[in-house]
């Protein structure tokens, strides 16, 4: 654990097939729209979004860094770039980092571009298209996710507005719930477009599905924070909760014995400690 600084924030990846709504969701959660939301698949490196006001830059595969222009994120060469670092002063980023991933089976991009970022993450919000929800390609990636990541992740069935009748909505929700049973901490249908349109209207916000989802997200972030406070290593690399150090014990307040300098030339006397100080971690 890092000393002297606040414990690290959970890192939540936005993942899914191309055009599932990952970037739209990142923008919705931040309340600003720095990421391109496109009808066609974007060739964009993973974007690691943190709280702050630093100028954006890219971190290359060789570890070097170079500045990038916020309006031209799509010009960044994806093969050589590990991720783009974007700092934004958005409320949600005070409690977690977001990492916007490219689509998992984008034919224009090698999967290594996002696979090499997995080792950085703690949890995922997985976006799956309502119209073709939970494809084989999605199930195949998710199957390989460590258990601790799965249990702290959320499945969003996006573009729910595209399913126009109640029967279809129920059918998709039931099927996806069945096929992903036990593999997510929560599953929510949502229309991101309606959520964005809702603005300050709480009824519309809830009706879009964003209300129940964000409530669950806040609980998830709280749970994750307790876990990430116990380790500097991303949960992805831990695999299961058993391999994370135990939480710091609650230390009873005790007076620590003051150190008294020994007069020169005298032997150290064996003493019993007066109070035992429990280690912090
Ligand atoms: N109708 C509808 N459209 C949506 C919804 N969510 C996203 N879209 C639209 O879907 C398109 C793709 O959204 P993006 O957020 O760019 O998707 P992405 O997953 O980031 O896509 P890539 O980065 O290219 O993989 C955009 O035109 C969005 O406006 C939704 O809930 N309903
Ligand atoms: Mg995107």
């Amino acid at each position: 654990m890092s000393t002297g600084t606040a414990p690290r924030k959970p890192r939540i990846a936005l993942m899914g097939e191309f055009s599932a709504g990952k970037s739209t969701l990142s923008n919705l959660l931040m309340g600003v729209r720095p990421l391109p939301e496109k009808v066609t698949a974007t060739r964009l490196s993973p974007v690691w979004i943190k709280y702050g006001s630093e100028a954006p830059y890219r971190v290359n595969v060789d570890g070097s860094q170079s500045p990038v222009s916020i309006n031209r994120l799509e010009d960044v060469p994806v093969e050589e770039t590990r991720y783009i670092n974007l700092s934004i002063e958005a409320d949600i980023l005070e409690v977690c980092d977001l990492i916007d991933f490219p689509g998992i089976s984008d034919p224009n991009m090698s999967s290594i571009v996002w696979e090499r970022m997995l080792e950085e993450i703690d949890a995922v919000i997985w976006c799956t298209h309502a119209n073709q929800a939970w494809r084989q390609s999605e199930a195949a990636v998710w199957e390989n996710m460590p258990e601790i990541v799965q249990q702290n992740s959320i499945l969003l069935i996006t573009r729910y507005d595209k399913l126009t009748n109640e029967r279809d909505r129920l059918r998709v929700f039931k099927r996806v719930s069945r096929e992903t049973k036990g593999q997510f901490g929560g599953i929510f249908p949502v229309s991101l477009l309606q959520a964005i349109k809702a603005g300050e209207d709480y009824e519309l916000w809830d009706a879009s599905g964003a209300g129940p989802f964000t409530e669950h997200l806040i609980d998830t972030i709280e749970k994750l924070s307790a876990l990430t406070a116990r380790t500097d290593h991303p949960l992805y690399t831990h695999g299961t909760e058993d391999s994370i150090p135990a939480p710091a014990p609650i230390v009873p307040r005790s007076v620590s014995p003051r150190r008294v300098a020994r007069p020169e030339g005298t032997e150290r006397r064996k003493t019993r400690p007066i109070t035992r100080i429990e280690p912090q971690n």
Side-chain angles (χ1 to χ4, degrees), residues 17-24 36-42 103 158-159 161-162 190-193:
E17 294 284 7
F18 67 88
S19 289
K22 304 176 291 292
S23 302
T24 308
E37 301 163 11
K38 288 275 171 66
V39 180
T40 51
T42 42
T158 57
R159 296 162 160 260
D161 52 298
K162 293 281 185 185
V190 69
S191 167
L192 297 173
L193 286 199

